[in-house]
Structure formats: structure tokens, C-alpha cells
Amino acid sequence: MGALDEGHYNVVLENGVKLGGLEQEPETIAIVDAVKLLLQGLGEDINREGLRKTPLRVAKAFQIVQDALFPEVGVEHGKGQAGGAGGLVLVRDLNLFSFCESCLLPFQVKCHVGYIPSGQRVVGLSKLSRVADIFAKRLQDPQRLADEICFALEHGIEPTGVAVVLECSHVHFPNFEHVFLDSNHERWVKVVVGSGSGSFEKDDSASWLDFFGLLRCKDVSLDNIHARTTVQDSWCPSQSHSRLGLGPNSTMTSAVASIIQSLGQDPCRIELTATPNRYVNWLMNFKDSNLEMKLNGFSSIPLKTTVGRINYKEHVRSENNLSLWSLCEHHLLPFYGVVHIGYILGEEVNSISKTLLQSIVHFHGFKLQVQERLSRQIAETVSPLLGGDVMVVVEADHTCMIARGIEKCGSNTATIAVLGRFSDDPAARSQFLQTIPSYCL
Amino acid sequence: MGALDEGHYNVVLENGVKLGGLEQEPETIAIVDAVKLLLQGLGEDINREGLRKTPLRVAKAFQIVQDALFPEVGVEHGKGQAGGAGGLVLVRDLNLFSFCESCLLPFQVKCHVGYIPSGQRVVGLSKLSRVADIFAKRLQDPQRLADEICFALEHGIEPTGVAVVLECSHVHFPNFEHVFLDSNHERWVKVVVGSGSGSFEKDDSASWLDFFGLLRCKDVSLDNIHARTTVQDSWCPSQSHSRLGLGPNSTMTSAVASIIQSLGQDPCRIELTATPNRYVNWLMNFKDSNLEMKLNGFSSIPLKTTVGRINYKEHVRSENNLSLWSLCEHHLLPFYGVVHIGYILGEEVNSISKTLLQSIVHFHGFKLQVQERLSRQIAETVSPLLGGDVMVVVEADHTCMIARGIEKCGSNTATIAVLGRFSDDPAARSQFLQTIPSYCL
């Protein structure tokens, strides 16, 4: 009957992530010991911080899967693959998010996970998603995430083969200094990674052919999957930033290192050593600076006090799709999107350059913000330049909406600020809103 | 730093739905008492089953919002609306699901919720989603859901106005008897509802103009919002089914009534009185019947025992996009999608009618199923008709993936079953897979 009652989240808790006393149960201990042996076989130190909790995590993932293995016969007569013996099962388009171990920002993942049943058993479909979620919700690198999901399912289901393909998107936040210069800044860094075991072990296997045949994504194929040999070059855009050498505030970097440690990770792990520096450098973009905005050559126009509707001789002009980058002060998580500015082109008001408006947006974006305040501040700054009748619309994706509790992928927020005669003139507002193109980042 | 630790779901638990001992706190009791007064003012009996928990639920929603009200100034000089005083804030495209009070099946909701701040306060954006979720996760009707979200936000935020628009999609499950006849069965019943308070009270208000200006959905406007006067005609497709009068098994209907009672709802509430009948009628579609499939006029072709690749003279033929309706035996929740059948058109094999293949799919769909078994059963049934070399692909949306715990909207599952020479011939499988159009329900 589904999640009708509010005890719903308890179910998630029991089946999904928190397993409570299960850590002491003999089955759990047996799996933990086995995973330790596997890790030692890989030449790893099982006591290092980064690995300490891995066996328990893997044990949890196994148990989620094992609790949901159902008997299912295979082909009954003749030759074939289907049911609980052969026949690919593929769950497509699972939305996950994870956190980049290189810069601590969240990244989005579209996860496709498949397996080929064997031993007359199939696994409950939602369990594939639960297992993927467990490994996503930690500091990760895309390839490791794919490998860990694959490893856990391989050992939990014991199928003929397991395959995982992840389409990962990492927001490419510009530095404060560069954002004013680089008008064509790419918003996303994307990478596709894959991991396969059993019949998916070889890249040219028939199983992969079936997998991509079912995926039918034009832009995802074996050919464009990030080659494993180059994974050492992190995909994280923060790695290419030149400021890294400057050596940021050491109190702040120590604080970030201690957060990483509190998350059960070893700050000395090679992939994590520069993470505090990178995160602090990124954060310092939002330091409340005393920069004065120089509105070169543009003098303020005396604010009019006119009220009422906009004169029919005047024209509503708009400057749309200015890029926005900012940091949500409630969660210290990024939000980003576009800003649209509407104003009245009249006798006293000339249009002003898009570059200047874009600079004003960046100026207000690069501090700790909430979208409502940002909209107001942009409106108040552009108002004296544009004759006092202005309307600002901000449309943004908030990382906190996917990476905190509610996990509402695909939602976004629009805010409006109006000054002067736009306040009294719904028709003028509507006229401006109609000029705004569809929102799509 | 977001949901890096696995304590993540605890946060959901505390902030979101379960509030533990809060029920005894004086603030909660005060809100509960106030809501009771409001309900009495509406002429309602606050002790009837359906309303008994409403005051506490509303109190929880209020507290979620009130914990996240942040001071935010409005326009500082001159005339305008922005920040914490005026200026619409709209969160768009929140994916929710709820349960139809008329038939107990889940329905999907795309929720747009907006408010106009006042009193120099704004609310944390994710809280709008949390409040919507609280009211969605019960037996609902779209208009009541919109009204309840609106009411809770109005009293929690005390803004200038609140507006809620819900785009609801209810799966239109056919009856077993009709599905064989009705080849153009519509898969969805859709309705758009709205609710507004304060400055959104009047349908023709300037605030609604702004709201729809920001929504910019071509197919959602004030004009096509379900008129309130006709909401008495339930949107639920089960209400139009003629079988209702037959009077299903009374032990089963009593059982459903007791489930409804366990969910804190009064089975005697007018909207719920016929729900057990409708649900049982729907469920009886999936009774494991002794129906024999009559493959009129089609004689089986002796199964070939050939192995190896498919002869170059033979052609891979496919019959794609056969409708599928079924019931997941793990959750008793629907799954639905399309089936594609590939086979080899050779000397002995003629193509067979799409109608017959569609009937075979329905025959196997209308029972308690798992997708893997369904794929195998369809393959084994069509195999003797199609010369023994067949491939079946099933693509389906599983309601359990959105309505149970993991809530992965947009994901779907593909399964493969292969018999005969398709087993050995990846190229033939690939050739068939390429004929399948993009999956989109």
C-alpha cells in the first residue's frame, strides 16, 4: 500500500541506510571479515581512515540486496536466457547526487545499473537504487563510485554480470576574478564512467552491446566512456585553478580537514590532501569584500517619483539570461542560474551595456546570499542607471534542494523584484515576463 | 556541508515528518488548539476521523516553516516590492506523489508553490517542499491537497499571499475485460488544480498574472485549471467503471476498509465509502485465472533446435510498443509500459497479427508479476508461434520506485528475454534493439 503513513521514513531508515544493531549480528560480522580479506588481497591497509568503515558499508549494501533476492525460474524448455537465469535487467535514469572528493561540492549523477540474473534469483528493483545511494553519499570520484556500486552488487547478488554506467555533472564554478572576463564560461563539467564485472568484464562483450542497446542514449556509448587509464586526472574543475599555490588561510584549511576527518575520511588520502585548500579557495570567492562597484561612465539618473501605469509611448526593454553564480547562506551550497532585467526605455533612459549589467549580477552573486535578497540588491543597483522603473527576475537551481533531505531533483526557484512603476502595472510586468525564454541550464 | 554522513535520514526525520515528543510542547498544543478553532469556524466536526489528526499535522507543517523563517529587508528606498516585503518567490517543478482517496492508487504531482513575502521575512525554500510532502503522503484529492498546502503555508509564513498549482497525473488502469478491446486506451488522466490565499484570493488578481508569467508552461494557465465547482466529480478513472455495482467479495472490502482506518482515515467519509469496492474490483483484475489462451487459427510451429548465428537470408522482424499493464507482486503497486517482440521472418515463419501479440502481453500482464518473469513468459508463449527464435524487451515504470522509500522519479526498468538463436547472436539482438523507439510514456 506504499508510503501512506508518516512512518514512511522509518522504513527508509530500516531498509535503507541505518541498520541499528545489525552491526553486531553474526552475518554482518562474517561479511565484514570477508570484505577485509578482499581489501587485504588488494594490498590495502584496512585500518586506514578511508577504508575503516568500508567493510561495514559493503556489508550493509549486501544485506539490502540479500533481503530482496527472490526465487525466479529461468527458461523452462529449450535454449534461452530469461527470468532468473540470464536476460539483462536494466534500471535506467536513477537520479543520485554525490560529493566531489576534490572540492567538496555536490555533483549530480544519472545512474544506469544492470545485471544478468543467475542461480534462479532476481533482486528487487528498488534495491539497486538503494545500494547506489549508499555509495554516492560520501566523498567520491565518479569512477570509484561506479566501481563500488558494481562491487557491492556483484557480491550481493552473485549474478552472471553487473554493469554500472554513471553520467556525472559537476558544476564548474568560476573564480570571482575570472567571472567578469569569461562571458562564455561553461557551466558544467561532464564525464561518463562505467564499471563491469562477470560477463561485463571485457569492454567488447556481448553483454555491453545489450546494455547500450537498451540504454539507447545517443550520447552515451562505450566509446565515450571515460577511459580508466586517465582517471588519475581528476575531472574536478577546481584542480585547474591557478590560485591553488597562494596558500589560503591555514585556520580555515585545518577546519575543513577536521570536517573531512569527522566524515570518517582520512584527510591524508592522496585524493584528499589538497581538498581543504581547494574548498577554502572556492569559499573565499564569497568573502564580503569592500570592493566598490565602479559604474564607469554611467551617471545615475535622478529617481522619478512617478506612480501609476507606464505610458504607452514608452517601451519595456529587457536584458535576459545574464549568468548567475552564488552561495546559499543557509547551507553553504551553491546556487546558479540566470537573471533577467526589465526596464523602460524612455526619453531620459538609454539602454546600458549587457556587460555592465552582467558585472552587477556577479558583484552581488559572489557573497553569501539568499535569492530574495539578491533579486532586491540587483534591482536597487540598476534602478538609478535605468530610470527607476525596473523589474528583476532571478531563476536558479539550488544545490540544497537536491543535496539536503528533500532531494527534489529538477525543481528550481524564481523570484521577482520590482521598483517604480512596475509595482503598479501588472500588464507591464506580464509584458516583460513574456520576453523571458524557457529556463534550462 | 550537506548530506555527507549517513545520519542524513535522521535529519529528514527530525525536520521533516516525525517530530517525536514535540506533540507535548506548549507551542504545539497552542497551534493545535488554534487549528481546531479554525476548523470549528468552518462548521466541521473536529472529532471526526478524517479531521482528528489534522490540527497536529498542520501544527507540524507550521513548525517546519517557522523554524526556517529568516529576516530579510524589503526595498530600502522608494516604491517597490522585493526581498522580505513583496516580490513573488516561486519554487517550480517539485515532484511529489500522493494516493488517490477514490481508488488507493498513487498519483504523481508536479507542484509549483509560490508566496509573496511580508513582514520582512522569507522562508527557507526547501521548507515549501517539505510542507507539500506532508500533505501529499495521505489519501488525497488534488483540490484538497492544493488547499491544504496553501492553508498551512498561509498560516505558517503569514505572507501577503500564497499560491499552489498542482499538475496531477493519475494512471488510468484498464479493466481486464476492456483492455483486449480498447487498443487506444489513454494511459493517464490529468488534472490541474490551483489554490490561492491573500493576494491570490481572486482568480484575476495581478499576483496570479505574475505567477503564470513565471511558470511559463504553455499548457498550464488559469484558464485550464480545474474549476472548483466541478471538483465534486472525482477525476479518478475508477469512478467511471461499470463493474462497481457487482458487489465484490465482502471479506476483501472489509479488509481494505480496515487498512483505511489504520491509516487514520474514516472509511465512512463520503469520498471513501466506495473506495474499498473500487480497490477490490481493481485488484480482482489480477486474480490468477484459469483462462486458457486461445491462439485462434495459429498453430504452433515445431521448435527448431538450431543454434548459432542467424542466417543472412533471414530477416529480424519486430513488433514494437505493445501496451503493458501489470501489478508488482512485491508491493501490490502497478507497473506499466511497453513490450517489444523480435523474431526471425524465415521460410516457415509468417508474421502474426499485432492484435494477437498484444493479447498475449495482456494475458500475462494481468496477474501478480515481476518484470523478469513477465518477459520470460511472453517469450515462451510467442516462441512456438514465431519459430523459436524470439527476443522480448519489456520497458516499464514501476510505481514502487516513486511511492516507496527511494522516490526515484523518472527512472524505469528494461528487461530482456531471448530464446533460440538470439541467445548466441549479439548482432541480431543489437539489430532488434535498434528498431525500438525511445521510451516515453
Side-chain angles (χ1 to χ4, degrees):
Chain A
M1 303 292 297
L4 283 170
D5 59 327
E6 294 180 350
H8 168 55
Y9 284 104
N10 273 331
V11 178
V12 175
L13 211 68
E14 285 157 19
N15 293 352
V17 175
K18 286 268 172 193
L19 290 170
L22 233 67
E23 297 178 18
Q24 272 76 51
E25 292 193 4
E27 300 79 12
T28 312
I29 295 168
I31 298 173
V32 164
D33 289 345
V35 177
K36 284 181 184 168
L37 282 174
L38 292 173
L39 290 171
Q40 284 167 328
L42 294 168
E44 290 282 356
D45 171 12
I46 57 166
N47 293 315
R48 74 174 169 90
E49 281 291 318
L51 284 181
R52 211 165 32 83
K53 289 189 180 168
T54 297
L56 186 61
R57 204 175 284 115
V58 174
K60 285 178 184 174
F62 284 179
Q63 285 170 328
I64 285 172
V65 172
Q66 284 165 343
D67 287 349
L69 281 173
F70 301 98
E72 192 60 48
V73 298
V75 171
E76 290 180 344
H77 304 290
K79 183 176 179 59
Q81 294 142 14
L88 178 60
V89 176
L90 175 57
V91 177
R92 300 178 291 205
D93 294 328
L94 290 165
N95 290 315
L96 313 175
F97 69 91
S98 186
F99 288 84
C100 175
E101 64 183 11
S102 182
C103 72
L104 302 186
L105 292 186
F107 63 91
Q108 293 175 43
V109 183
K110 198 168 274 292
C111 169
H112 314 287
V113 54
Y115 77 102
I116 297 175
S118 76
Q120 315 270 326
R121 296 187 309 175
V122 297
V123 70
L125 298 172
S126 63
K127 303 313 176 295
L128 301 172
S129 173
R130 284 196 205 281
V131 168
D133 262 337
I134 283 190
F135 292 99
K137 283 177 186 165
R138 41 194 315 233
L139 301 182
Q140 275 290 13
D141 154 84
Q143 184 64 53
R144 183 173 340 104
L145 177 56
D147 289 342
E148 289 183 352
I149 296 169
C150 187
F151 179 87
L153 292 175
E154 182 194 349
H155 289 80
I157 309 178
E158 296 178 1
T160 300
V162 174
V164 177
V165 167
L166 307 178
E167 300 177 66
C168 302
S169 303
H170 190 313
V171 68
H172 186 180
F173 227 92
N175 274 330
F176 182 65
E177 295 136 41
H178 297 138
V179 72
F180 292 95
L181 307 171
D182 179 8
S183 60
N184 294 314
H185 180 79
E186 286 284 343
R187 203 175 281 274
W188 298 101
V189 174
K190 301 198 178 206
V191 71
V192 182
V193 295
S195 187
S197 69
S199 60
F200 291 93
E201 198 120 22
K202 288 189 182 157
D203 281 358
D204 58 353
S205 74
S207 297
W208 275 116
L209 201 60
D210 290 348
F211 187 100
F212 284 107
L214 279 186
L215 211 51
R216 297 203 299 285
C217 296
K218 286 187 188 64
D219 48 350
V220 181
S221 68
L222 267 179
D223 297 336
N224 65 7
I225 282 194
H226 200 265
R228 283 167 196 245
T229 47
T230 63
V231 160
Q232 294 306 317
D233 316 321
S234 167
W235 71 320
C236 175
S238 75
Q239 295 228 346
S240 61
H241 286 170
S242 57
R243 285 181 65 185
L244 199 60
L246 294 182
N249 185 315
S250 70
T251 317
M252 291 177 76
T253 52
S254 303
V256 178
S258 84
I259 291 173
I260 291 174
Q261 200 147 26
S262 305
L263 295 171
Q265 301 271 313
D266 174 13
C268 300
R269 172 153 72 87
I270 183 75
E271 297 89 349
L272 291 172
T273 48
T275 300
N277 267 20
R278 279 189 287 261
Y279 182 73
V280 172
N281 268 325
W282 175 76
L283 203 60
M284 291 302 279
N285 279 310
F286 305 98
K287 192 174 175 189
D288 196 11
S289 63
N290 293 317
L291 272 180
E292 263 189 55
M293 249 195 305
K294 292 174 190 141
L295 305 174
N296 298 322
F298 282 89
S299 50
S300 298
I301 300 158
L303 277 179
K304 291 180 291 188
T305 51
T306 42
V307 292
R309 307 234 159 182
I310 283 154
N311 192 307
Y312 71 95
K313 285 188 218 158
E314 299 167 313
H315 297 288
V316 175
R317 278 286 300 260
S318 62
E319 196 65 75
N320 293 334
N321 277 339
L322 303 160
S323 312
L324 166 70
W325 301 95
S326 193
L327 186 67
C328 159
E329 71 179 32
H330 297 155
H331 303 98
L332 293 189
L333 284 170
F335 67 98
Y336 38 81
V338 286
V339 176
H340 317 286
I341 298 175
Y343 57 99
I344 309 295
L345 196 64
E347 282 171 24
E348 297 163 20
V349 182
N350 296 306
S351 65
I352 63 174
S353 79
K354 185 163 187 169
T355 313
L356 177 62
L357 294 175
Q358 178 66 74
S359 295
I360 291 169
V361 170
H362 287 323
F363 180 84
H364 288 298
F366 275 87
K367 46 182 104 156
L368 300 195
Q369 273 290 11
V370 298
Q371 187 173 327
E372 296 88 338
R373 185 189 313 146
L374 177 70
S375 312
R376 176 182 60 77
Q377 289 178 340
I378 294 170
E380 290 181 337
T381 306
V382 301
S383 168
L385 307 175
L386 292 171
D389 302 313
V390 298
M391 174 159 176
V392 171
V393 169
V394 178
E395 303 186 285
D397 280 19
H398 286 249
T399 322
C400 58
M401 295 291 274
I402 59 157
R404 301 265 314 183
I406 62 163
E407 296 186 36
K408 296 292 184 193
C409 285
S411 78
N412 57 75
T413 299
T415 47
I416 288 179
V418 287
L419 294 178
R421 287 180 293 164
F422 274 103
S423 311
D424 301 318
D425 197 336
R429 296 203 298 270
S430 174
Q431 193 184 338
F432 166 55
L433 290 173
Q434 280 168 26
T435 70
I436 300 177
S438 297
Y439 178 70
C440 179
L441 290 185
Chain B
M1 303 293 298
L4 282 171
D5 59 326
E6 293 178 351
H8 167 52
Y9 284 104
N10 273 330
V11 178
V12 175
L13 211 68
E14 286 157 17
N15 293 352
V17 176
K18 286 269 172 191
L19 289 172
L22 234 68
E23 296 178 18
Q24 272 76 50
E25 292 193 5
E27 300 79 12
T28 313
I29 294 168
I31 298 173
V32 165
D33 289 345
V35 177
K36 284 180 183 167
L37 281 175
L38 291 172
L39 289 170
Q40 284 167 329
L42 294 169
E44 290 281 355
D45 171 11
I46 58 166
N47 293 315
R48 75 172 167 92
E49 280 292 316
L51 283 181
R52 210 165 34 84
K53 289 189 180 170
T54 297
L56 186 60
R57 203 176 284 114
V58 174
K60 286 177 184 176
F62 283 178
Q63 284 169 329
I64 285 172
V65 172
Q66 283 165 345
D67 286 350
L69 281 172
F70 301 98
E72 191 60 47
V73 299
V75 170
E76 290 178 345
H77 304 290
K79 183 178 179 57
Q81 294 142 12
L88 178 60
V89 176
L90 174 58
V91 176
R92 301 178 290 205
D93 293 328
L94 290 166
N95 290 314
L96 314 175
F97 69 91
S98 186
F99 287 84
C100 175
E101 65 184 11
S102 181
C103 72
L104 303 186
L105 291 187
F107 63 92
Q108 293 174 44
V109 183
K110 198 168 274 293
C111 168
H112 315 287
V113 54
Y115 76 102
I116 297 175
S118 76
Q120 314 270 327
R121 295 186 309 175
V122 297
V123 70
L125 299 172
S126 63
K127 304 313 176 292
L128 301 173
S129 173
R130 283 196 206 283
V131 167
D133 262 337
I134 282 189
F135 292 99
K137 284 178 185 163
R138 41 193 315 232
L139 300 183
Q140 276 290 12
D141 154 84
Q143 185 63 53
R144 181 173 341 107
L145 177 56
D147 289 342
E148 289 183 351
I149 297 169
C150 186
F151 179 87
L153 292 175
E154 182 193 351
H155 289 80
I157 308 177
E158 294 178 4
T160 299
V162 174
V164 177
V165 167
L166 307 178
E167 300 177 66
C168 301
S169 304
H170 189 314
V171 67
H172 185 180
F173 226 93
N175 275 333
F176 182 66
E177 295 136 42
H178 297 137
V179 71
F180 292 95
L181 306 172
D182 178 9
S183 59
N184 293 314
H185 180 79
E186 287 284 343
R187 203 175 282 274
W188 298 101
V189 174
K190 300 198 179 208
V191 72
V192 182
V193 294
S195 186
S197 69
S199 60
F200 290 93
E201 198 119 24
K202 288 189 182 157
D203 281 358
D204 58 352
S205 74
S207 298
W208 275 116
L209 202 61
D210 291 348
F211 188 100
F212 284 106
L214 279 185
L215 211 51
R216 297 204 298 286
C217 295
K218 287 187 188 66
D219 48 349
V220 181
S221 69
L222 266 180
D223 297 334
N224 65 7
I225 281 195
H226 199 267
R228 284 168 196 244
T229 46
T230 64
V231 159
Q232 295 307 318
D233 315 321
S234 167
W235 72 319
C236 176
S238 75
Q239 296 227 346
S240 61
H241 286 172
S242 56
R243 285 182 64 185
L244 199 59
L246 294 182
N249 184 314
S250 70
T251 318
M252 291 176 77
T253 52
S254 303
V256 178
S258 84
I259 290 173
I260 291 174
Q261 200 147 26
S262 305
L263 294 171
Q265 302 271 315
D266 174 12
C268 300
R269 172 153 72 86
I270 183 75
E271 298 87 350
L272 291 173
T273 48
T275 300
N277 267 20
R278 279 188 287 262
Y279 183 72
V280 172
N281 267 327
W282 175 75
L283 203 60
M284 291 301 279
N285 279 310
F286 305 98
K287 191 174 177 190
D288 196 10
S289 63
N290 293 318
L291 272 181
E292 261 187 58
M293 249 196 303
K294 293 175 191 139
L295 305 173
N296 297 326
F298 282 88
S299 50
S300 298
I301 300 159
L303 278 178
K304 290 179 291 187
T305 51
T306 42
V307 292
R309 308 234 158 182
I310 283 155
N311 192 307
Y312 71 96
K313 284 189 218 158
E314 297 167 313
H315 298 287
V316 174
R317 277 287 300 261
S318 62
E319 196 64 75
N320 293 334
N321 278 339
L322 303 160
S323 309
L324 166 69
W325 301 95
S326 193
L327 185 68
C328 160
E329 70 178 32
H330 297 155
H331 303 98
L332 292 190
L333 284 169
F335 67 98
Y336 39 81
V338 286
V339 176
H340 317 286
I341 298 174
Y343 57 99
I344 310 296
L345 197 64
E347 283 171 23
E348 297 162 21
V349 182
N350 297 306
S351 65
I352 62 175
S353 80
K354 186 163 185 169
T355 312
L356 178 61
L357 295 175
Q358 178 66 74
S359 295
I360 291 169
V361 170
H362 287 322
F363 180 84
H364 289 298
F366 275 87
K367 45 183 105 158
L368 299 195
Q369 273 290 10
V370 299
Q371 188 175 327
E372 296 88 338
R373 185 190 312 147
L374 176 71
S375 313
R376 176 182 59 77
Q377 289 178 340
I378 294 170
E380 290 182 336
T381 305
V382 300
S383 169
L385 307 175
L386 293 169
D389 301 314
V390 299
M391 175 159 176
V392 171
V393 168
V394 178
E395 302 186 284
D397 280 18
H398 286 249
T399 323
C400 58
M401 295 292 273
I402 60 158
R404 300 267 310 183
I406 63 164
E407 295 187 37
K408 296 293 183 192
C409 285
S411 78
N412 58 74
T413 300
T415 47
I416 289 180
V418 287
L419 294 178
R421 287 180 293 165
F422 274 104
S423 311
D424 302 318
D425 198 335
R429 295 204 298 270
S430 174
Q431 194 185 334
F432 166 55
L433 290 174
Q434 280 168 27
T435 70
I436 300 177
S438 298
Y439 179 70
C440 179
L441 289 186

